[in-house]
Amino acid sequence: MVKMWRTCITLVIVSMAALPLPASEVRAISDAERAAVDHAAAYLSAGPEALVARLSSSSPLRNLPAAEAAKEIEVRLGPPSGATWELQTVVPALRDKVAVFDIAYPSGVDETAVFELSKSEDTYKIDNLRILAEESPQKAIFPAPPRSAPQPVETAKFPVDKLAFGLCLVACTLATAAALLRRGHKGFVMAAIPSAAVLVLSALSLAVLAGEHTRVETTAAHDAAKAKMDDSYPRLASLLDLRRALASGSDTKDMSTVAARTGVARDVAKLWKAQMDLQQVRIDAAKRTLASFPTPSSIPLVEILRGRLGLMEQDESASAVAFEHAVSLGPGRDGLWSETAHALLALGYEDRCVKYLDRLERIGSRDADVYYVLSMFRAFKDKEEESERLLNTAWALHPAQRSRVIGVPILWSVIRKPATSNFINLSAPEEAPVTSPAASTRAIALPADAVARVSGDYLDVQIGDQELSVPGGACLAPAGTRPMDAESWSRLEEEKYVGDYARLVSVAGTAGAYAQPALRRRITDSALALAERNRWNDIVQLTDALSPKSEYIPPMLFFLRATALERMQRAPEAKALLISLAAGHVLQRRRDARSLEQLGEMLASYDLFDAAVKMLDRAEAIRQNDRIERTVAQINMNKRLATKYTTMESEHFQVHYPEDVNLGSAKLIDQILEDELKRMQAWIPTPQFKPVVVNVVWWQDFRSTITGNDFIIGLYQGKITVPLAGMPYYPPEIVGILTHELCHAMLAQATNDQAPHWFQEGMAKRMEMVGMTRNAFNMYDDSKLLAFSLLDSVLRDSPDPDMIGEGYLESEAVVRYIEAKYGKGGITTMIEQFRNGATTEEAIQKVSGLPVAEFDRQFRLWGRAERRFFETPIVVRYDLEDEGEIRINNTAGKAGTGSGDLSGQPQRKRLTGGTFYPMKKP
């Protein structure tokens, strides 16, 4: 009987845990938040004096002279110069009382400012300004969870809600037991059913009481804090010089001349200095400061800094507890919950991370990134309808550049759904702006020096060097503000991130800089923007302080640094960095399967086969993935190729071939490659061509071990790999495989491996010496062709064979168009531009004088008149001599078998760096 009761309870708990959480709508900007945005814009434009006139009659700052009040305001909000402000979404109970802004200063130090507001007639004025370094008026009701088993702490609730939950649980248990025991236990059933009903009604009453009490408690706490503030308002003006030094990045090691050392001001000064100590990796000094405060503390900044310190010291438990305790101190807002979610993810608590993101959705967060990330999590769980809904929400809030959304393979099936294609159009030459239905419906009067731009429901206001971002704020934009398309928006953002490099390179010189979320985001965004522009030397300088042992550094930055080192011909350093990253346990602890997989692939590119397989095995232990199995098989094959195959060397090639293939076959392949190298020099100048490894394998090994499919029949991944072992002769279609992969190798050397995928594949196909190739314009309606700006993302990231096939056909057509319109010189100019680090946009502008979207339109006009197959007038043949075929007498058993002879295979297209065959036309 006891066992049965335990089973019943378990079933109830499991069934309750499985219930889906209701999704909430994105919350509109409240009247209080609208007023706060107006106050923030005035502050960033005119400084603290602008807010003195906006204080409510009950604000204690009203009792101070205007000059003193301005100092108290500035010391809390920081100097406006160069600051970036972003409105946060607060919990619903506070939407009409509080507005919260996340603030980042030029130094990288961050702050959170809480505007407490009250309505006077038709306007909201400022009652008080609070910051994280001050004691929270909301005390944590429940103690922090044990350090050994950290659990997420919900925002403060009246304890009666736990009683309500307990009653519901007992009621569910009784009902379940009654259902299971309905036969033979009639007396128990008759008593259990009414008891369960009474318990449910009691629970509902308590739940209503809990919600009301929470509201009353929140209001009471707010009113009590306000009354306390009126009696003894903390004066912080003595810290103004310190605040300015922190914001600008000046050294604050010696505070004796700038910081008061009494009362609240002393504690605030200590915490600000601890914040800078963490950034400068003065760990011991920061620890001493934080140890001087109680554990747990009622000051939010204490717990946030403890959480960041735990990340830096790889103390998962301490970090998780501190962040979750900071959450319990409030005010509940999406910025802190998002930081906590990312910290938990970095520490390996993925499920807990998702719970925080779900919580953000439930409060109606206006942060588009929340919904993009949740959409990916749902897609991974095969919940495509939820993923589609979340993606649609994210897109409406702040549309992303199409190429970036395509670059997320997990979302591919969602993107291809008809409903999604209605708002993510993959064919249009340029992106359409997304207009919010609420745009400018509640416009505010911005300062005269402000420039507003909107995209979707997102508002960004530039005020001199200052920036004010308002997710969900399109309704506040001045009338007539035109929405900007995502591509144009992204271009402006990238320019800003590149421009931020000069500032960041000085503050990113220590590993501690990456522990601060705002600064970490700025560094990451800057590094990505620099990589888009092939500014590899700048990336190396920006990431000099990276340590592979750091939990809080995004793995992407390590990979970008390794790529940058390789581009700068510093491959040994790149290799050493990857080895150090693999030797540590950071990625394993993070349970970041994708990063482990990427690290494994990068290690394999340096022939570190065993280390690469180890990383991939770790990735597969975290998350099953068929692709990882194929990659491991491919690495093991490459290991055999490097160690067990016979080698033949010539001036430009090192041919590895199986022992059961004779030397004559290897020599013929080498001869063809040497001749093709000479022929293509006129198109792709590589006078100092460095020797390349050529792996020749049997078709069955290539298909089963390296690719796992019939679509790819050639690869270039730093080495050429072709399944031509045992080929008896080499007609143009087979020579084309060698030519294609050789073209990749030549382009890699000619452009320092900086040519985009579309150009690599289009050129490789163009260089094949075959009489005729297919034209994308006689296979696809040009109104359905991929936008030219999306080709690279599709070729690099798409898992869809049909889409890849279309991408490669279209890439060749683009190269043919450049040749037809601008001659061979247009091709060589493109190569020269890529070698110098130009982006696709810059190279196209140099050749055609057109922006990419207009180039795309002109390309389509040409294509409508060029629907015939592409032809090569003169085809160089390697299979005929004196009107007779050259055949190699392969005495090996595999020669001429169905698995080794590709002469009967159809001509095929290419995948990135390889030969690809599109199975069908759409």
Side-chain angles (χ1 to χ4, degrees):
M1 190 69 176
V2 172
K3 184 177 180 180
M4 180 176 292
W5 273 104
R6 286 177 179 170
T7 303
C8 293
I9 294 172
T10 301
L11 287 171
V12 171
I13 293 174
V14 169
S15 63
M16 293 178 68
L19 291 175
L21 293 171
S24 299
E25 293 184 359
V26 175
R27 189 139 44 80
I29 299 283
S30 70
D31 290 339
E33 290 169 323
R34 176 181 180 273
V37 171
D38 185 43
H39 299 329
Y43 181 80
L44 292 175
S45 175
E49 292 77 14
L51 295 193
V52 173
R54 296 165 180 253
L55 297 170
S56 70
S57 58
S58 60
S59 172
L61 291 171
R62 277 286 189 188
N63 300 326
L64 300 175
E68 290 300 310
K71 290 181 180 178
E72 292 291 342
I73 291 171
E74 183 182 351
V75 79
R76 285 167 171 78
L77 302 183
S81 179
T84 299
W85 288 40
E86 182 173 74
L87 181 69
Q88 307 282 286
T89 308
V90 296
V91 293
L94 299 177
R95 64 188 300 249
D96 296 320
K97 306 179 184 70
V98 166
V100 178
F101 291 92
D102 185 56
I103 304 173
Y105 303 112
S107 65
V109 170
D110 57 338
E111 179 61 273
T112 299
V114 180
F115 282 57
E116 295 182 352
L117 306 158
S118 62
K119 192 172 184 179
S120 175
E121 297 180 351
D122 292 331
T123 61
Y124 280 86
K125 294 199 170 183
I126 302 170
D127 283 339
N128 187 26
L129 297 169
R130 287 193 293 108
I131 55 176
L132 295 180
E134 295 181 87
E135 190 169 342
S136 172
Q138 176 176 304
K139 307 300 180 186
I141 294 179
F142 305 114
R147 291 169 64 95
S148 58
Q151 296 293 329
V153 180
E154 295 289 337
T155 48
K157 296 179 182 177
F158 187 67
V160 74
D161 63 355
K162 283 200 165 184
L163 179 57
F165 174 80
L167 291 175
C168 275
L169 182 60
V170 173
C172 290
T173 302
L174 285 173
T176 303
L180 294 174
L181 303 176
R182 62 184 182 275
R183 295 180 180 177
H185 296 79
K186 186 174 181 180
F188 171 79
V189 173
M190 294 294 292
I193 292 176
S195 299
V198 171
L199 288 170
V200 169
L201 289 174
S202 301
L204 290 173
S205 300
L206 285 171
V208 173
L209 176 61
E212 180 63 22
H213 203 299
T214 300
R215 184 188 65 78
V216 172
E217 181 188 57
T218 302
T219 304
H222 180 270
D223 294 342
K226 182 178 174 184
K228 181 179 178 182
M229 174 188 70
D230 292 340
D231 294 337
S232 56
Y233 187 72
R235 300 290 296 275
L236 302 178
S238 60
L239 304 179
L240 186 55
D241 288 340
L242 175 61
R243 169 63 99 181
R244 289 172 176 169
L246 284 165
S248 65
S250 303
D251 189 19
T252 57
K253 190 173 182 179
D254 182 7
M255 298 194 310
S256 59
T257 60
V258 295
R261 295 183 175 276
T262 59
V264 176
R266 176 198 59 201
D267 289 343
V268 172
K270 287 168 61 179
L271 289 173
W272 284 351
K273 182 175 181 296
Q275 195 172 359
M276 183 59 78
D277 284 337
L278 281 183
Q279 181 175 316
Q280 299 299 326
V281 201
R282 296 192 283 260
I283 300 296
D284 290 340
K287 289 175 74 172
R288 285 194 299 271
T289 298
L290 295 175
S292 67
F293 292 89
T295 302
S297 173
S298 59
I299 300 174
L301 186 56
V302 173
E303 298 303 326
I304 290 172
L305 294 181
R306 283 173 175 164
R308 295 175 183 174
L309 177 63
L311 276 175
M312 295 176 71
E313 294 201 311
Q314 302 174 23
D315 187 339
E316 305 98 320
S317 178
S319 181
V321 168
F323 273 120
E324 293 184 334
H325 188 62
V327 168
S328 76
L329 290 173
R333 63 191 190 280
D334 56 358
L336 178 57
W337 293 356
S338 182
E339 179 179 355
T340 303
H342 284 89
L344 291 169
L345 183 62
L347 295 168
Y349 302 123
E350 182 177 309
D351 291 342
R352 201 168 302 165
C353 163
V354 175
K355 287 181 181 178
Y356 270 97
L357 294 174
D358 286 336
R359 183 187 298 184
L360 290 172
E361 184 191 3
R362 292 199 299 275
I363 71 166
S365 173
R366 297 181 286 262
D367 184 354
D369 287 346
V370 169
Y371 301 94
Y372 281 118
V373 174
L374 280 173
S375 178
M376 287 186 276
F377 274 118
R378 297 294 192 272
F380 180 75
K381 297 291 187 181
D382 295 325
K383 298 179 179 179
E384 290 195 354
E385 289 186 4
E386 286 186 47
S387 178
E388 183 180 358
R389 173 183 61 81
L390 290 161
L391 181 60
N392 200 337
T393 300
W395 192 267
L397 282 171
H398 195 180
Q401 196 172 2
R402 290 177 299 177
S403 58
R404 296 189 178 180
V405 180
I406 289 174
V408 183
I410 193 67
L411 290 179
W412 190 254
S413 60
V414 177
I415 293 170
R416 298 286 280 165
K417 283 179 172 291
T420 307
S421 64
N422 289 335
F423 62 89
I424 304 181
N425 187 330
L426 303 183
S427 301
E430 57 189 353
E431 304 204 27
V434 177
T435 303
S436 168
S440 303
T441 54
R442 303 164 63 201
I444 60 175
L446 292 174
D449 57 342
V451 177
R453 54 188 180 123
V454 295
S455 182
D457 216 20
Y458 190 89
L459 168 67
D460 186 81
V461 182
Q462 197 72 35
I463 307 173
D465 289 335
Q466 292 73 255
E467 186 174 6
L468 174 61
S469 299
V470 188
C475 60
L476 309 181
T481 304
R482 298 182 63 183
M484 184 179 292
D485 67 85
E487 190 168 351
S488 299
W489 186 288
S490 179
R491 192 176 301 115
L492 287 178
E493 291 292 292
E494 284 186 1
E495 290 174 3
K496 180 180 72 175
Y497 299 144
V498 170
D500 203 19
Y501 164 75
R503 270 183 188 165
L504 289 175
V505 76
S506 59
V507 299
T510 61
Y514 297 87
Q516 298 184 92
L519 187 52
R520 183 172 64 244
R521 283 195 301 270
R522 284 173 60 192
I523 295 170
T524 303
D525 289 338
S526 181
L528 288 169
L530 292 169
E532 288 288 329
R533 288 159 172 75
N534 295 310
R535 290 176 52 174
W536 306 111
N537 183 60
D538 291 340
I539 291 176
V540 169
Q541 292 189 44
L542 186 66
T543 58
D544 265 341
L546 292 186
S547 168
K549 297 180 180 179
S550 300
E551 299 271 3
Y552 44 87
I553 297 178
M556 179 193 310
L557 290 175
F558 292 109
F559 302 145
L560 283 174
R561 179 173 175 81
T563 301
L565 289 168
E566 186 173 356
R567 294 286 193 276
M568 294 175 63
Q569 312 304 317
R570 295 165 60 179
E573 294 175 66
K575 183 177 179 180
L577 174 63
L578 296 173
I579 291 172
S580 297
L581 191 60
H585 60 278
V586 172
L587 291 184
Q588 174 72 3
R589 188 200 306 274
R590 289 169 64 98
R591 297 185 60 76
D592 185 348
R594 182 66 192 96
S595 294
L596 284 166
E597 185 179 349
Q598 188 171 352
L599 176 58
E601 291 168 355
M602 294 183 78
L603 289 166
S605 70
Y606 286 97
D607 290 345
L608 298 169
F609 304 117
D610 294 338
V613 170
K614 186 176 181 181
M615 292 302 104
L616 291 165
D617 286 345
R618 287 182 179 179
E620 192 170 27
I622 295 170
R623 186 167 294 163
Q624 293 294 316
N625 186 338
D626 292 339
R627 187 178 64 182
I628 293 178
E629 293 183 10
R630 293 196 301 270
T631 304
V632 170
Q634 181 178 339
I635 291 171
N636 288 328
M637 167 65 82
N638 288 336
K639 183 177 180 180
R640 292 198 301 274
L641 290 169
T643 58
K644 296 183 178 180
Y645 271 42
T646 305
T647 300
M648 189 214 74
E649 296 190 28
S650 65
E651 182 181 1
H652 297 112
F653 303 98
Q654 186 183 92
V655 181
H656 295 182
Y657 59 98
E659 293 181 354
D660 47 2
V661 170
N662 65 27
L663 178 60
S665 181
K667 284 184 176 181
L668 180 56
I669 289 174
D670 178 77
Q671 176 189 330
I672 293 172
L673 288 169
E674 290 285 0
D675 288 347
E676 288 293 275
L677 176 63
K678 291 176 184 177
R679 179 180 69 82
M680 288 192 286
Q681 289 285 351
W683 291 85
I684 310 168
T686 50
Q688 305 298 322
F689 186 77
K690 299 175 183 177
V692 172
V693 171
V694 180
N695 295 317
V696 181
V697 300
W698 292 100
W699 166 249
Q700 72 268 27
D701 291 335
F702 186 84
R703 190 249 182 257
S704 63
T705 305
I706 296 179
T707 66
N709 60 59
D710 292 323
F711 307 135
I712 305 170
I713 57 172
L715 285 174
Y716 175 73
Q717 297 173 327
K719 303 179 182 69
I720 293 173
T721 303
V722 287
L724 302 182
M727 282 300 301
Y729 63 99
Y730 287 81
E733 291 78 11
I734 300 301
V735 172
I737 297 173
L738 292 168
T739 304
H740 191 108
E741 308 313 330
L742 175 57
C743 183
H744 282 303
M746 295 178 70
L747 280 173
Q749 295 191 27
T751 66
N752 195 26
D753 210 11
Q754 294 177 157
H757 289 73
W758 73 265
F759 187 75
Q760 292 180 26
E761 298 301 337
M763 277 296 295
K765 186 59 185 170
R766 170 65 184 87
M767 289 296 99
E768 293 177 16
M769 291 299 289
V770 293
M772 188 177 296
T773 59
R774 284 176 288 183
N775 182 348
F777 285 97
N778 64 23
M779 297 187 67
Y780 304 94
D781 186 327
D782 69 295
S783 65
K784 300 296 184 182
L785 282 177
L786 289 166
F788 171 62
S789 61
L790 302 182
L791 285 178
D792 229 49
S793 294
V794 168
L795 298 180
R796 183 179 59 241
D797 300 310
S798 172
D800 185 336
D802 289 339
M803 187 64 74
I804 294 170
E806 180 183 344
Y808 285 99
L809 288 171
E810 189 174 341
S811 294
E812 182 189 357
V814 173
V815 169
R816 297 273 187 174
Y817 169 65
I818 294 173
E819 180 187 354
K821 183 77 172 177
Y822 306 104
K824 185 186 292 185
I827 300 295
T828 54
T829 298
M830 294 288 289
I831 292 172
E832 180 182 351
Q833 287 295 303
F834 292 135
R835 180 173 61 249
N836 293 335
T839 62
T840 289
E841 291 78 5
E842 292 166 340
I844 291 294
Q845 179 73 36
K846 182 69 175 179
V847 168
S848 68
L850 300 173
V852 163
E854 183 58 31
F855 173 86
D856 193 351
R857 279 189 281 269
Q858 294 299 320
F859 161 63
R860 292 173 191 237
L861 286 174
W862 171 84
R864 291 179 193 135
E866 292 289 335
R867 293 184 179 273
R868 66 181 187 275
F869 278 60
F870 296 128
E871 297 180 0
T872 301
I874 301 175
V875 177
V876 178
R877 301 294 296 259
Y878 295 92
D879 59 339
L880 299 175
E881 182 176 306
D882 296 330
E883 298 183 356
E885 294 183 349
I886 296 178
R887 293 179 180 271
I888 303 300
N889 182 21
N890 285 288
T891 57
K894 293 185 180 179
T897 65
S899 60
D901 185 0
L902 289 181
S903 59
Q905 295 282 340
Q907 181 188 343
R908 303 188 179 198
K909 309 305 173 192
R910 314 284 179 156
L911 192 60
T912 303
T915 309
F916 178 81
Y917 177 57
M919 294 297 291
K920 61 182 179 180
K921 103 185 210 187

